Amino acid sequence: MAKQVFSKPDALCDAVTHYCAGCTHGTAHRLVAEAIDHFGVADRAVGVAPAGCSVMLYKYFNVDTIEAAHGRALATATGIKRARPDLFVFTYQGDGDLASIGLCETMHAANRGEGITVIYVNNAVYGMTGGQMAPTTLPGQRTTTTPAGRNVGNEGYPLRMAELLATLDGVRYSERVALFDAKQIRRARKAIFHAFEAQLEHNGFGFVEVLSACPTNLKMSPVKAQRWVEEVMCATYPLGVLKDLETVPAPLPEPEESLHAL
């Protein structure tokens, strides 16, 4: 009798995904689901998804989910966590959402140190809405709105969100990972688990940036798209831990007594 050695996480639904062939959102979903199972939080987890490729989060996870307006996932997640601090709250967002229309919500939620886990999928393009330039599009990369390639003199430089958030005092953990081979998937799994721990153990803000291939908008085969992530994208977005606070940071000092009199 054959022995089963691999199975679907309980936190994943039985569903055929809407993602394009070669897209690594499905891999990211599995890693998040494995973390939900591992920490036993399915009965109190709430996932927040905005517009974009992640919009059907409710279809794929056996946990409570809520859809937010484009860019407002972290604002919605903040409200949920503050109203119900006993819940485990995570967002699953793309680069166009988190780093463009939702940049304000992202920076302020992170700076406040909200107890939320953020899974940020960076595929360097607006995936669902037509392949337009995103804040993460690489210099010279062609998109539907930069047909000659992104010109940094006109459109500016890509935003490195993992580095930006690591500078904020409210962020407990920030790491960038990728999914282009088995080794990197194992690293991504470890990072997502650690981001869960940041919330569960310290009520801290944990952020994982996941570099992902978008073969459809790159106009490449799945294999070539994965190689592009490894050889081209990682040069602009280096992998690794940007911040990891092993202990709870000391609170800021109280103002001097003389300042209270002002």
Side-chain angles (χ1 to χ4, degrees), residues 79-90:
I80 295 169
K81 188 67 175 182
R82 290 198 174 196
R84 289 286 305 276
D86 57 307
L87 297 178
F88 180 85
V89 182
F90 70 96

Side-chain angles (χ1 to χ4, degrees), residues 232-254:
V232 179
M233 200 173 180
C234 286
T236 297
Y237 299 105
L239 305 181
V241 177
L242 282 305
K243 186 175 186 179
D244 186 6
L245 298 180
E246 291 297 329
T247 58
V248 178
L252 293 175
E254 290 295 322

Side-chain angles (χ1 to χ4, degrees), residues 33-237:
E34 287 180 356
I36 291 172
D37 285 359
H38 175 80
F39 292 105
V41 296
D43 60 341
R44 60 188 180 96
V46 178
V48 185
C53 291
S54 64
V55 70
M56 294 185 181
L57 203 69
Y58 62 86
K59 182 179 178 181
Y60 304 129
F61 285 89
N62 278 318
V63 300
D64 289 331
T65 59
I66 185 170
E67 287 194 26
H70 199 193
R72 310 300 181 248
L74 274 164
T76 302
T78 295
I80 295 169
K81 188 67 175 182
R82 290 198 174 196
R84 289 286 305 276
D86 57 307
L87 297 178
F88 180 85
V89 182
F90 70 96
T91 68
Y92 187 97
Q93 301 175 253
D95 45 63
D97 171 80
L98 181 142
S100 182
I101 190 171
L103 182 61
C104 177
E105 284 78 2
T106 300
M107 298 299 287
H108 286 290
N111 197 47
R112 292 192 304 267
E114 302 290 349
I116 298 167
T117 301
V118 180
I119 309 302
Y120 164 58
V121 180
N122 175 3
N123 57 18
V125 71
Y126 274 87
M128 185 189 75
T129 54
Q132 302 94 330
M133 188 195 84
T136 51
T137 296
L138 306 187
Q141 182 181 341
R142 295 185 179 187
T143 70
T144 55
T145 51
T146 56
R150 180 173 187 166
N151 181 342
V152 296
N154 192 54
E155 290 92 34
Y157 293 89
L159 286 181
R160 296 183 177 93
M161 292 305 300
E163 286 87 345
L164 280 172
L165 295 187
T167 67
L168 302 179
D169 291 338
V171 174
R172 182 173 189 84
Y173 174 65
S174 178
E175 181 171 359
R176 181 182 293 117
V177 296
L179 301 171
F180 56 77
D181 63 22
K183 178 181 178 180
Q184 300 306 322
I185 291 171
R186 287 194 296 270
R187 284 189 56 202
R189 183 179 189 271
K190 182 179 178 181
I192 290 171
F193 275 46
H194 199 38
F196 271 52
E197 291 170 344
Q199 179 178 168
L200 292 168
E201 297 179 8
H202 306 288
N203 194 34
F205 189 95
F207 181 85
V208 180
E209 178 174 344
V210 182
L211 302 187
S212 178
C214 184
T216 296
N217 287 299
L218 287 172
K219 296 179 172 56
M220 296 179 183
S221 69
V223 172
K224 288 184 178 179
Q226 298 295 348
R227 195 59 54 212
W228 182 84
V229 172
E230 179 183 11
E231 297 175 356
V232 179
M233 200 173 180
C234 286
T236 297
Y237 299 105

